[in-house]
């Protein structure tokens, strides 16, 4: 009986050893390795795309005509989300102070510390008391908006009392001046509400 038990134990040992050997062979199988590599590569690519779209570059499709003729309705443009050093003439996309659901596209006319005065009689715009050259507009600025109207009613707007752009804000206007909702309507916008700078048309 002792001899039989010993043989049985030896058989179990061999069986267990063979099972471990099979598992090891499975992990060393080239097909298994390639599947693991491919799955890992797909995950890395997906994470990289998510990071780029969220923090680096995104795409916006323009709805409306407020930036014509520079940007036309239906066009798709790339947005740079990394550059937060906003400058005059940058075209940006952002949430306005009034609407936190629909993004707006406009051009920066003035940055923090600048003064802005729009002469609605001549249609000229003055930044820091100097008339700015605007080759990108097709017509002069003849219309105001709720924000500027309220300043006029309160006696706080004129050539001698221009709008002062406060810290971390920019004053924006659409190129299609008389068919655009911009800072004339909702005032200077906070730079924290800016998605990014539009820089390249893709279609």
């Amino acid at each position: 009986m002792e001899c039989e038990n010993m043989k049985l134990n030896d058989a179990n040992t061999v069986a267990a050893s063979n099972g471990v050997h099979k598992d090891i062979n499975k992990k060393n199988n080239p097909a298994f390795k390639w599947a693991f590599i491919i799955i890992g590569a797909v995950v890395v690519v997906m994470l990289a795309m998510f990071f780029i779209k969220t923090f680096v570059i995104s795409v916006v499709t323009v709805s409306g005509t407020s930036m014509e003729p520079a940007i036309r309705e239906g066009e798709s443009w790339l947005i740079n989300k990394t550059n937060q050093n906003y400058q005059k003439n940058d075209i940006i996309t952002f949430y306005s102070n009034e609407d936190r659901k629909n993004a707006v596209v406009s051009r920066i006319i003035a940055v923090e510390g600048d003064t802005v005065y729009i002469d609605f009689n001549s249609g000229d715009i003055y930044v820091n008391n100097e008339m700015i050259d605007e080759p990108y507009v097709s017509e002069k600025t003849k219309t105001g908006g709720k924000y500027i109207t309220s300043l006029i009613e309160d006696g706080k707007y004129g050539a001698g009392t221009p709008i002062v752009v406060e810290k971390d804000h920019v004053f924006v206007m659409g190129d299609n001046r008389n068919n655009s909702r911009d800072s004339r309507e909702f005032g200077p916008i906070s730079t924290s509400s800016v998605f990014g700078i539009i820089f390249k048309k893709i279609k």
Side-chain angles (χ1 to χ4, degrees), residues 76-113:
S76 295
W77 288 71
L78 291 177
I79 303 172
N80 181 350
K81 294 184 174 183
T82 60
N83 184 2
Q84 297 181 349
N85 183 27
Y86 306 119
Q87 304 291 325
K88 297 170 189 175
N89 287 325
D90 284 345
I91 298 175
I92 60 173
T93 180
F94 59 93
Y95 283 131
S96 73
N97 303 332
E98 296 181 333
D99 188 348
R100 308 303 295 181
K101 294 181 179 179
N102 300 306
V104 180
V105 176
S106 287
R107 185 186 299 273
I108 295 178
I109 300 301
V111 296
E112 64 176 61

mmCIF file of all heavy atoms in Angstrom, residues 76-113:
data_model
loop_
_atom_site.group_PDB
_atom_site.id
_atom_site.type_symbol
_atom_site.label_atom_id
_atom_site.label_comp_id
_atom_site.label_asym_id
_atom_site.label_seq_id
_atom_site.Cartn_x
_atom_site.Cartn_y
_atom_site.Cartn_z
ATOM 1 N N SER A 76 -14.690 74.285 -41.105
ATOM 2 C CA SER A 76 -14.103 73.655 -39.919
ATOM 3 C C SER A 76 -12.673 74.158 -39.731
ATOM 4 O O SER A 76 -11.898 74.196 -40.698
ATOM 5 C CB SER A 76 -14.120 72.130 -40.057
ATOM 6 O OG SER A 76 -15.441 71.642 -40.082
ATOM 7 N N TRP A 77 -12.362 74.526 -38.494
ATOM 8 C CA TRP A 77 -11.047 75.106 -38.183
ATOM 9 C C TRP A 77 -10.427 74.397 -36.989
ATOM 10 O O TRP A 77 -11.139 73.912 -36.094
ATOM 11 C CB TRP A 77 -11.194 76.594 -37.861
ATOM 12 C CG TRP A 77 -11.512 77.444 -39.058
ATOM 13 C CD1 TRP A 77 -12.688 77.491 -39.758
ATOM 14 C CD2 TRP A 77 -10.636 78.382 -39.689
ATOM 15 N NE1 TRP A 77 -12.609 78.389 -40.780
ATOM 16 C CE2 TRP A 77 -11.359 78.957 -40.764
ATOM 17 C CE3 TRP A 77 -9.326 78.794 -39.450
ATOM 18 C CZ2 TRP A 77 -10.804 79.919 -41.593
ATOM 19 C CZ3 TRP A 77 -8.767 79.759 -40.275
ATOM 20 C CH2 TRP A 77 -9.509 80.306 -41.334
ATOM 21 N N LEU A 78 -9.089 74.364 -36.968
ATOM 22 C CA LEU A 78 -8.363 73.822 -35.822
ATOM 23 C C LEU A 78 -8.232 74.890 -34.740
ATOM 24 O O LEU A 78 -8.080 76.076 -35.039
ATOM 25 C CB LEU A 78 -6.962 73.365 -36.245
ATOM 26 C CG LEU A 78 -6.888 72.137 -37.159
ATOM 27 C CD1 LEU A 78 -5.441 71.861 -37.529
ATOM 28 C CD2 LEU A 78 -7.508 70.917 -36.494
ATOM 29 N N ILE A 79 -8.304 74.451 -33.478
ATOM 30 C CA ILE A 79 -8.166 75.343 -32.324
ATOM 31 C C ILE A 79 -6.931 74.944 -31.526
ATOM 32 O O ILE A 79 -6.750 73.781 -31.173
ATOM 33 C CB ILE A 79 -9.389 75.247 -31.393
ATOM 34 C CG1 ILE A 79 -10.670 75.564 -32.145
ATOM 35 C CG2 ILE A 79 -9.229 76.168 -30.192
ATOM 36 C CD1 ILE A 79 -11.895 75.285 -31.307
ATOM 37 N N ASN A 80 -6.067 75.909 -31.251
ATOM 38 C CA ASN A 80 -4.912 75.695 -30.383
ATOM 39 C C ASN A 80 -5.325 75.997 -28.948
ATOM 40 O O ASN A 80 -5.645 77.136 -28.612
ATOM 41 C CB ASN A 80 -3.760 76.610 -30.822
ATOM 42 C CG ASN A 80 -2.516 76.426 -29.976
ATOM 43 O OD1 ASN A 80 -2.529 75.764 -28.945
ATOM 44 N ND2 ASN A 80 -1.415 77.010 -30.418
ATOM 45 N N LYS A 81 -5.309 74.956 -28.094
ATOM 46 C CA LYS A 81 -5.745 75.134 -26.704
ATOM 47 C C LYS A 81 -4.587 75.404 -25.746
ATOM 48 O O LYS A 81 -4.826 75.683 -24.565
ATOM 49 C CB LYS A 81 -6.502 73.895 -26.238
ATOM 50 C CG LYS A 81 -7.814 73.668 -26.963
ATOM 51 C CD LYS A 81 -8.551 72.478 -26.371
ATOM 52 C CE LYS A 81 -9.921 72.325 -26.979
ATOM 53 N NZ LYS A 81 -10.682 71.203 -26.372
ATOM 54 N N THR A 82 -3.360 75.299 -26.237
ATOM 55 C CA THR A 82 -2.215 75.437 -25.340
ATOM 56 C C THR A 82 -1.750 76.878 -25.194
ATOM 57 O O THR A 82 -1.185 77.251 -24.174
ATOM 58 C CB THR A 82 -1.034 74.587 -25.842
ATOM 59 O OG1 THR A 82 -0.650 75.033 -27.150
ATOM 60 C CG2 THR A 82 -1.419 73.115 -25.911
ATOM 61 N N ASN A 83 -1.961 77.699 -26.217
ATOM 62 C CA ASN A 83 -1.506 79.093 -26.187
ATOM 63 C C ASN A 83 -2.553 79.974 -25.502
ATOM 64 O O ASN A 83 -3.611 80.222 -26.046
ATOM 65 C CB ASN A 83 -1.255 79.588 -27.610
ATOM 66 C CG ASN A 83 -0.691 81.003 -27.640
ATOM 67 O OD1 ASN A 83 -0.440 81.610 -26.592
ATOM 68 N ND2 ASN A 83 -0.502 81.542 -28.826
ATOM 69 N N GLN A 84 -2.255 80.427 -24.303
ATOM 70 C CA GLN A 84 -3.169 81.284 -23.563
ATOM 71 C C GLN A 84 -2.673 82.727 -23.493
ATOM 72 O O GLN A 84 -3.178 83.528 -22.707
ATOM 73 C CB GLN A 84 -3.388 80.712 -22.165
ATOM 74 C CG GLN A 84 -4.047 79.337 -22.190
ATOM 75 C CD GLN A 84 -4.293 78.780 -20.806
ATOM 76 O OE1 GLN A 84 -3.805 79.292 -19.802
ATOM 77 N NE2 GLN A 84 -5.066 77.710 -20.745
ATOM 78 N N ASN A 85 -1.689 83.033 -24.323
ATOM 79 C CA ASN A 85 -1.162 84.401 -24.397
ATOM 80 C C ASN A 85 -1.930 85.142 -25.492
ATOM 81 O O ASN A 85 -1.437 85.348 -26.605
ATOM 82 C CB ASN A 85 0.340 84.366 -24.700
ATOM 83 C CG ASN A 85 0.943 85.746 -24.717
ATOM 84 O OD1 ASN A 85 0.451 86.668 -24.060
ATOM 85 N ND2 ASN A 85 2.011 85.917 -25.495
ATOM 86 N N TYR A 86 -3.153 85.544 -25.177
ATOM 87 C CA TYR A 86 -4.047 86.103 -26.182
ATOM 88 C C TYR A 86 -3.612 87.506 -26.597
ATOM 89 O O TYR A 86 -3.323 88.357 -25.765
ATOM 90 C CB TYR A 86 -5.478 86.122 -25.631
ATOM 91 C CG TYR A 86 -5.922 84.766 -25.139
ATOM 92 C CD1 TYR A 86 -6.286 84.568 -23.809
ATOM 93 C CD2 TYR A 86 -5.953 83.668 -25.999
ATOM 94 C CE1 TYR A 86 -6.672 83.322 -23.350
ATOM 95 C CE2 TYR A 86 -6.335 82.424 -25.547
ATOM 96 C CZ TYR A 86 -6.693 82.251 -24.217
ATOM 97 O OH TYR A 86 -7.068 81.014 -23.763
ATOM 98 N N GLN A 87 -3.584 87.709 -27.920
ATOM 99 C CA GLN A 87 -3.125 88.965 -28.491
ATOM 100 C C GLN A 87 -4.213 89.589 -29.358
ATOM 101 O O GLN A 87 -5.151 88.911 -29.784
ATOM 102 C CB GLN A 87 -1.880 88.721 -29.350
ATOM 103 C CG GLN A 87 -0.731 88.046 -28.619
ATOM 104 C CD GLN A 87 -0.094 88.943 -27.584
ATOM 105 O OE1 GLN A 87 0.006 90.161 -27.779
ATOM 106 N NE2 GLN A 87 0.334 88.368 -26.474
ATOM 107 N N LYS A 88 -4.076 90.888 -29.625
ATOM 108 C CA LYS A 88 -5.004 91.552 -30.528
ATOM 109 C C LYS A 88 -4.957 90.879 -31.902
ATOM 110 O O LYS A 88 -3.892 90.495 -32.373
ATOM 111 C CB LYS A 88 -4.650 93.036 -30.658
ATOM 112 C CG LYS A 88 -4.762 93.803 -29.346
ATOM 113 C CD LYS A 88 -4.183 95.200 -29.466
ATOM 114 C CE LYS A 88 -4.107 95.867 -28.106
ATOM 115 N NZ LYS A 88 -3.446 97.176 -28.139
ATOM 116 N N ASN A 89 -6.111 90.763 -32.513
ATOM 117 C CA ASN A 89 -6.306 90.130 -33.820
ATOM 118 C C ASN A 89 -6.381 88.618 -33.768
ATOM 119 O O ASN A 89 -6.672 87.982 -34.794
ATOM 120 C CB ASN A 89 -5.264 90.560 -34.858
ATOM 121 C CG ASN A 89 -5.485 91.982 -35.335
ATOM 122 O OD1 ASN A 89 -6.613 92.437 -35.451
ATOM 123 N ND2 ASN A 89 -4.399 92.691 -35.610
ATOM 124 N N ASP A 90 -6.125 87.997 -32.606
ATOM 125 C CA ASP A 90 -6.364 86.558 -32.474
ATOM 126 C C ASP A 90 -7.857 86.285 -32.640
ATOM 127 O O ASP A 90 -8.695 87.014 -32.100
ATOM 128 C CB ASP A 90 -5.919 86.050 -31.099
ATOM 129 C CG ASP A 90 -4.415 85.906 -30.976
ATOM 130 O OD1 ASP A 90 -3.734 85.917 -32.017
ATOM 131 O OD2 ASP A 90 -3.934 85.775 -29.835
ATOM 132 N N ILE A 91 -8.187 85.232 -33.378
ATOM 133 C CA ILE A 91 -9.579 84.802 -33.488
ATOM 134 C C ILE A 91 -9.764 83.652 -32.511
ATOM 135 O O ILE A 91 -9.066 82.634 -32.582
ATOM 136 C CB ILE A 91 -9.917 84.359 -34.922
ATOM 137 C CG1 ILE A 91 -9.733 85.530 -35.885
ATOM 138 C CG2 ILE A 91 -11.350 83.845 -35.006
ATOM 139 C CD1 ILE A 91 -9.921 85.161 -37.345
ATOM 140 N N ILE A 92 -10.687 83.816 -31.582
ATOM 141 C CA ILE A 92 -10.853 82.848 -30.505
ATOM 142 C C ILE A 92 -12.276 82.292 -30.477
ATOM 143 O O ILE A 92 -13.203 82.869 -31.044
ATOM 144 C CB ILE A 92 -10.527 83.482 -29.137
ATOM 145 C CG1 ILE A 92 -11.453 84.681 -28.859
ATOM 146 C CG2 ILE A 92 -9.060 83.888 -29.059
ATOM 147 C CD1 ILE A 92 -11.317 85.265 -27.460
ATOM 148 N N THR A 93 -12.432 81.169 -29.798
ATOM 149 C CA THR A 93 -13.752 80.621 -29.527
ATOM 150 C C THR A 93 -13.932 80.563 -28.010
ATOM 151 O O THR A 93 -13.000 80.216 -27.283
ATOM 152 C CB THR A 93 -13.941 79.236 -30.168
ATOM 153 O OG1 THR A 93 -15.247 78.742 -29.869
ATOM 154 C CG2 THR A 93 -12.890 78.248 -29.702
ATOM 155 N N PHE A 94 -15.122 80.901 -27.547
ATOM 156 C CA PHE A 94 -15.329 81.100 -26.109
ATOM 157 C C PHE A 94 -16.818 81.044 -25.772
ATOM 158 O O PHE A 94 -17.682 81.065 -26.657
ATOM 159 C CB PHE A 94 -14.791 82.470 -25.690
ATOM 160 C CG PHE A 94 -15.455 83.611 -26.432
ATOM 161 C CD1 PHE A 94 -16.554 84.267 -25.908
ATOM 162 C CD2 PHE A 94 -14.988 84.014 -27.676
ATOM 163 C CE1 PHE A 94 -17.176 85.294 -26.598
ATOM 164 C CE2 PHE A 94 -15.603 85.037 -28.381
ATOM 165 C CZ PHE A 94 -16.693 85.677 -27.839
ATOM 166 N N TYR A 95 -17.110 80.985 -24.459
ATOM 167 C CA TYR A 95 -18.468 81.172 -23.958
ATOM 168 C C TYR A 95 -18.642 82.638 -23.588
ATOM 169 O O TYR A 95 -17.771 83.226 -22.937
ATOM 170 C CB TYR A 95 -18.724 80.322 -22.708
ATOM 171 C CG TYR A 95 -18.971 78.860 -22.981
ATOM 172 C CD1 TYR A 95 -18.282 77.883 -22.266
ATOM 173 C CD2 TYR A 95 -19.887 78.461 -23.943
ATOM 174 C CE1 TYR A 95 -18.508 76.535 -22.500
ATOM 175 C CE2 TYR A 95 -20.119 77.119 -24.191
ATOM 176 C CZ TYR A 95 -19.422 76.170 -23.468
ATOM 177 O OH TYR A 95 -19.650 74.840 -23.711
ATOM 178 N N SER A 96 -19.743 83.228 -24.005
ATOM 179 C CA SER A 96 -19.999 84.614 -23.624
ATOM 180 C C SER A 96 -20.486 84.676 -22.185
ATOM 181 O O SER A 96 -20.796 83.651 -21.570
ATOM 182 C CB SER A 96 -21.058 85.231 -24.550
ATOM 183 O OG SER A 96 -22.346 84.715 -24.254
ATOM 184 N N ASN A 97 -20.561 85.898 -21.652
ATOM 185 C CA ASN A 97 -21.039 86.075 -20.277
ATOM 186 C C ASN A 97 -22.512 85.713 -20.142
ATOM 187 O O ASN A 97 -22.975 85.381 -19.051
ATOM 188 C CB ASN A 97 -20.835 87.530 -19.846
ATOM 189 C CG ASN A 97 -19.379 87.956 -19.958
ATOM 190 O OD1 ASN A 97 -18.486 87.139 -19.853
ATOM 191 N ND2 ASN A 97 -19.149 89.232 -20.189
ATOM 192 N N GLU A 98 -23.255 85.762 -21.251
ATOM 193 C CA GLU A 98 -24.694 85.518 -21.202
ATOM 194 C C GLU A 98 -25.073 84.084 -21.528
ATOM 195 O O GLU A 98 -26.061 83.568 -21.019
ATOM 196 C CB GLU A 98 -25.412 86.456 -22.181
ATOM 197 C CG GLU A 98 -25.293 87.931 -21.834
ATOM 198 C CD GLU A 98 -26.046 88.797 -22.824
ATOM 199 O OE1 GLU A 98 -26.197 88.368 -23.989
ATOM 200 O OE2 GLU A 98 -26.492 89.886 -22.439
ATOM 201 N N ASP A 99 -24.312 83.425 -22.397
ATOM 202 C CA ASP A 99 -24.662 82.092 -22.879
ATOM 203 C C ASP A 99 -23.522 81.127 -22.570
ATOM 204 O O ASP A 99 -22.457 81.214 -23.178
ATOM 205 C CB ASP A 99 -24.928 82.147 -24.386
ATOM 206 C CG ASP A 99 -25.497 80.843 -24.936
ATOM 207 O OD1 ASP A 99 -25.473 79.834 -24.205
ATOM 208 O OD2 ASP A 99 -25.967 80.842 -26.085
ATOM 209 N N ARG A 100 -23.765 80.196 -21.642
ATOM 210 C CA ARG A 100 -22.726 79.253 -21.247
ATOM 211 C C ARG A 100 -22.868 77.909 -21.950
ATOM 212 O O ARG A 100 -22.196 76.947 -21.594
ATOM 213 C CB ARG A 100 -22.770 79.037 -19.730
ATOM 214 C CG ARG A 100 -22.747 80.307 -18.898
ATOM 215 C CD ARG A 100 -21.551 81.169 -19.194
ATOM 216 N NE ARG A 100 -20.295 80.551 -18.820
ATOM 217 C CZ ARG A 100 -19.102 81.115 -18.970
ATOM 218 N NH1 ARG A 100 -19.023 82.324 -19.517
ATOM 219 N NH2 ARG A 100 -18.013 80.493 -18.614
ATOM 220 N N LYS A 101 -23.738 77.838 -22.967
ATOM 221 C CA LYS A 101 -23.955 76.584 -23.679
ATOM 222 C C LYS A 101 -23.422 76.616 -25.110
ATOM 223 O O LYS A 101 -22.894 75.626 -25.594
ATOM 224 C CB LYS A 101 -25.445 76.239 -23.701
ATOM 225 C CG LYS A 101 -26.035 75.934 -22.327
ATOM 226 C CD LYS A 101 -27.510 75.575 -22.440
ATOM 227 C CE LYS A 101 -28.097 75.259 -21.076
ATOM 228 N NZ LYS A 101 -29.539 74.918 -21.162
ATOM 229 N N ASN A 102 -23.575 77.760 -25.771
ATOM 230 C CA ASN A 102 -23.181 77.870 -27.171
ATOM 231 C C ASN A 102 -21.917 78.715 -27.316
ATOM 232 O O ASN A 102 -21.894 79.872 -26.920
ATOM 233 C CB ASN A 102 -24.321 78.487 -27.990
ATOM 234 C CG ASN A 102 -25.582 77.648 -27.929
ATOM 235 O OD1 ASN A 102 -25.562 76.458 -28.230
ATOM 236 N ND2 ASN A 102 -26.690 78.261 -27.527
ATOM 237 N N ALA A 103 -20.882 78.124 -27.879
ATOM 238 C CA ALA A 103 -19.608 78.833 -28.044
ATOM 239 C C ALA A 103 -19.716 79.884 -29.137
ATOM 240 O O ALA A 103 -20.498 79.759 -30.072
ATOM 241 C CB ALA A 103 -18.504 77.840 -28.373
ATOM 242 N N VAL A 104 -18.923 80.945 -28.995
ATOM 243 C CA VAL A 104 -18.915 82.061 -29.921
ATOM 244 C C VAL A 104 -17.521 82.179 -30.540
ATOM 245 O O VAL A 104 -16.520 81.863 -29.890
ATOM 246 C CB VAL A 104 -19.275 83.377 -29.191
ATOM 247 C CG1 VAL A 104 -19.267 84.557 -30.154
ATOM 248 C CG2 VAL A 104 -20.630 83.253 -28.508
ATOM 249 N N VAL A 105 -17.453 82.620 -31.793
ATOM 250 C CA VAL A 105 -16.181 82.888 -32.451
ATOM 251 C C VAL A 105 -16.096 84.380 -32.745
ATOM 252 O O VAL A 105 -16.986 84.952 -33.360
ATOM 253 C CB VAL A 105 -16.044 82.095 -33.765
ATOM 254 C CG1 VAL A 105 -14.750 82.459 -34.481
ATOM 255 C CG2 VAL A 105 -16.077 80.596 -33.489
ATOM 256 N N SER A 106 -15.016 85.020 -32.291
ATOM 257 C CA SER A 106 -14.834 86.457 -32.526
ATOM 258 C C SER A 106 -13.347 86.799 -32.559
ATOM 259 O O SER A 106 -12.504 85.987 -32.182
ATOM 260 C CB SER A 106 -15.526 87.291 -31.433
ATOM 261 O OG SER A 106 -16.923 87.273 -31.575
ATOM 262 N N ARG A 107 -13.070 88.027 -32.972
ATOM 263 C CA ARG A 107 -11.693 88.515 -33.042
ATOM 264 C C ARG A 107 -11.401 89.421 -31.839
ATOM 265 O O ARG A 107 -12.236 90.252 -31.458
ATOM 266 C CB ARG A 107 -11.479 89.301 -34.337
ATOM 267 C CG ARG A 107 -10.035 89.751 -34.574
ATOM 268 C CD ARG A 107 -9.948 90.639 -35.813
ATOM 269 N NE ARG A 107 -10.363 89.951 -37.022
ATOM 270 C CZ ARG A 107 -9.564 89.201 -37.794
ATOM 271 N NH1 ARG A 107 -8.281 89.076 -37.467
ATOM 272 N NH2 ARG A 107 -10.030 88.619 -38.885
ATOM 273 N N ILE A 108 -10.212 89.266 -31.250
ATOM 274 C CA ILE A 108 -9.811 90.133 -30.142
ATOM 275 C C ILE A 108 -9.437 91.508 -30.685
ATOM 276 O O ILE A 108 -8.565 91.631 -31.551
ATOM 277 C CB ILE A 108 -8.635 89.529 -29.363
ATOM 278 C CG1 ILE A 108 -9.055 88.215 -28.687
ATOM 279 C CG2 ILE A 108 -8.121 90.525 -28.313
ATOM 280 C CD1 ILE A 108 -7.931 87.528 -27.942
ATOM 281 N N ILE A 109 -10.103 92.533 -30.162
ATOM 282 C CA ILE A 109 -9.837 93.915 -30.563
ATOM 283 C C ILE A 109 -8.927 94.607 -29.551
ATOM 284 O O ILE A 109 -8.098 95.440 -29.906
ATOM 285 C CB ILE A 109 -11.162 94.697 -30.703
ATOM 286 C CG1 ILE A 109 -12.046 94.040 -31.765
ATOM 287 C CG2 ILE A 109 -10.904 96.168 -31.059
ATOM 288 C CD1 ILE A 109 -11.420 93.965 -33.138
ATOM 289 N N ALA A 110 -9.096 94.243 -28.277
ATOM 290 C CA ALA A 110 -8.300 94.877 -27.220
ATOM 291 C C ALA A 110 -8.095 93.882 -26.081
ATOM 292 O O ALA A 110 -8.926 92.993 -25.862
ATOM 293 C CB ALA A 110 -8.994 96.137 -26.715
ATOM 294 N N VAL A 111 -7.002 94.039 -25.357
ATOM 295 C CA VAL A 111 -6.680 93.156 -24.234
ATOM 296 C C VAL A 111 -6.672 93.980 -22.935
ATOM 297 O O VAL A 111 -6.919 95.193 -22.955
ATOM 298 C CB VAL A 111 -5.319 92.462 -24.449
ATOM 299 C CG1 VAL A 111 -5.371 91.552 -25.676
ATOM 300 C CG2 VAL A 111 -4.194 93.488 -24.602
ATOM 301 N N GLU A 112 -6.385 93.312 -21.839
ATOM 302 C CA GLU A 112 -6.461 93.981 -20.537
ATOM 303 C C GLU A 112 -5.617 95.249 -20.501
ATOM 304 O O GLU A 112 -4.494 95.299 -21.017
ATOM 305 C CB GLU A 112 -6.035 93.036 -19.417
ATOM 306 C CG GLU A 112 -4.595 92.579 -19.463
ATOM 307 C CD GLU A 112 -4.225 91.718 -18.269
ATOM 308 O OE1 GLU A 112 -4.831 90.649 -18.076
ATOM 309 O OE2 GLU A 112 -3.318 92.140 -17.514
ATOM 310 N N GLY A 113 -6.194 96.293 -19.913
ATOM 311 C CA GLY A 113 -5.501 97.572 -19.806
ATOM 312 C C GLY A 113 -5.755 98.512 -20.962
ATOM 313 O O GLY A 113 -5.491 99.714 -20.853
#
